[in-house]
Amino acid sequence: MPKQNLQARGPVEGFLEAHAGLRVDGERLLGRLEELGKIGADPAGGITRLGLSAQENAAMAYLRDLCGEAGLETETDPAGNLLIRRPNARRGTDPVLLVGSHVDTVVQGGRLDGAYGVIAALEVLDVLHSHDVDLPVEMVAVAFANEEGALIQTPFWGSRALCGSLEDGLAAEDRSGQPVSAYLAQAGGSPERLQEAAWPEGSIAAYLELHIEQGPTLERLGIPIGVVNGIVGRTILDIDVLGEAQHAGTTPMADRRDAMVAAAEIILGVERVATEHAVCATATTGYLVAHPNVTNTITGTVRMTVEVRDTDPGKLVRGEAAVRAECARVAAASGCDIDVRASMRSKSVSTAPALRDAIRVAADTVGLEHQTMPSGAGHDAQIVALVAPIGMIFVPSKRGISHAPGEDTAPHDLVHGANVLLHSVLGAQAVAAAQD
Ligand code: GLV
Ligand code: MN
Ligand code: MN
């Protein structure tokens, strides 16, 4: 049906030309980003708006208010995702063009990671609605819940739920063991109906996500638009190091099983995996808790997480194996028991060539230079990629900073990116219709 509509409309070029002058409201976009950035502002710096927390719920409520003002309809699905539609959207079995990102952050993260893509998607829908642009393939904007997995340890929670790849979702919990169900109910989701968040196969014609780059490439090149060709895969390993808590003054150095020292050896070994040995692109120890964490007691246990990333699936597997080998080496040398479990694996994916082309044409329409590049950060898009073609647009990040309070992008770059998203939505119509 969308295909017929598109054909009835005439060549795609005609459709694009008719709307070539359309632009987002830059002031409105920047103002909304500013407001959203106040939700979860952390007195210690940056923004702490963890997925499925009260702060993410407040951000979703803010979005719902904006949609109400714009005359757009909202729905919170059982996984806590916010879906936004035009009021006259054709409901039914027609596949849609899904556009969005997430509004949760890491602890003391930035105001743009995720939030920019959601506010821009809302802006695009707002513009299309107010200009009465009749899209052959309906656009639905989405704010995915809990992309970061910073509170509930399941990154890509919302996109996995919507794409039907959230296995054993209700087993998810926070670091103190509180189950996800209570958080989900607070977020307006429904633990009992979680499975119903999954869309039927074939209902996403295509997916677009606009995001800050979170790295230094575009800024260094002086190019305003990145056309993403692929997204890294990632494996997260939860590691428990079990030593023996003992007196720090009386236990001879030779008699110790110090979990902190073993953890330090692992950390350095993890770094070597991606530096000296170049097994995979990155390897990071980002989380560590020592117990009992007392000045004059030898550390008994350490709980830590390590993650490895690469666009090459083989290198990702070898990176994980290398970290496991480091842990085995340290266990043998230290006498500590070391348990390693993979808690998350996301696949590396490619974006759809036709959507890359649509983004390039959109950037040309707006008069912006573009650069094809991979993404070293993970995105909801890589989950959607398992069920539909995806396209991703990047804008420069100042000094490449992200997941930190200093995250920033020049206002004109933010507006440029949203205009490219708008024209990519128009250009993606042909790609989306062809999926039908
Ligand atoms: C997502 O934010 C990531 O960690 O790449
Ligand atoms: Mn992030
Ligand atoms: Mn993000």
Side-chain angles (χ1 to χ4, degrees), residues 102 104-106 113-114 147-148 211 214 377-379 402-403 407:
H102 60 97
D104 63 314
T105 70
V106 295
D113 175 0
E147 187 265 357
E148 303 282 7
H211 208 283
Q214 307 181 270
H379 299 287
S402 187
H403 279 192
E407 181 183 277

Side-chain angles (χ1 to χ4, degrees), residues 52 77-80 157 170 179-192 194:
L52 299 175
D77 78 4
W157 162 272
L170 291 179
V180 69
S181 47
Y183 288 100
L184 194 52
Q186 288 291 318
S190 168
E192 300 77 29
L194 185 56

Side-chain angles (χ1 to χ4, degrees), residues 264-352:
E265 294 274 0
I266 293 171
I267 292 167
L268 294 173
V270 164
E271 193 190 30
R272 283 193 298 271
V273 164
T275 52
E276 237 172 83
H277 308 307
V279 183
C280 54
T282 59
T284 310
T285 307
Y287 172 84
L288 184 146
V289 175
H291 186 82
N293 217 14
V294 165
T295 304
N296 48 356
T297 301
I298 298 163
T299 301
T301 58
V302 167
R303 171 159 284 194
M304 55 203 281
T305 62
V306 167
E307 60 143 81
V308 290
R309 301 189 187 211
D310 208 289
T311 44
D312 176 339
K315 291 178 98 179
L316 192 61
V317 169
R318 290 194 289 281
E320 175 181 344
V323 171
R324 287 181 181 274
E326 277 299 317
C327 290
R329 180 186 66 77
V330 173
S334 66
C336 293
D337 290 326
I338 301 180
D339 180 48
V340 185
R341 298 173 311 281
S343 62
M344 207 253 350
R345 294 179 205 276
S346 62
K347 290 192 174 125
S348 62
V349 300
S350 294
T351 55

Side-chain angles (χ1 to χ4, degrees), residues 241-280:
V241 183
L242 185 62
E244 191 175 19
Q246 268 282 27
H247 197 288
T250 60
T251 313
M253 295 307 283
D255 293 351
R256 300 177 177 209
R257 289 196 299 132
D258 186 332
M260 189 77 96
V261 172
E265 294 274 0
I266 293 171
I267 292 167
L268 294 173
V270 164
E271 193 190 30
R272 283 193 298 271
V273 164
T275 52
E276 237 172 83
H277 308 307
V279 183
C280 54

Side-chain angles (χ1 to χ4, degrees), residues 121-146:
L122 170 55
E123 175 62 29
V124 167
L125 206 53
D126 209 338
V127 169
L128 294 172
H129 182 48
S130 57
H131 287 78
D132 218 10
V133 178
D134 185 15
L135 292 180
V137 178
E138 202 64 62
M139 172 182 156
V140 175
V142 60
F144 285 119
N146 189 27

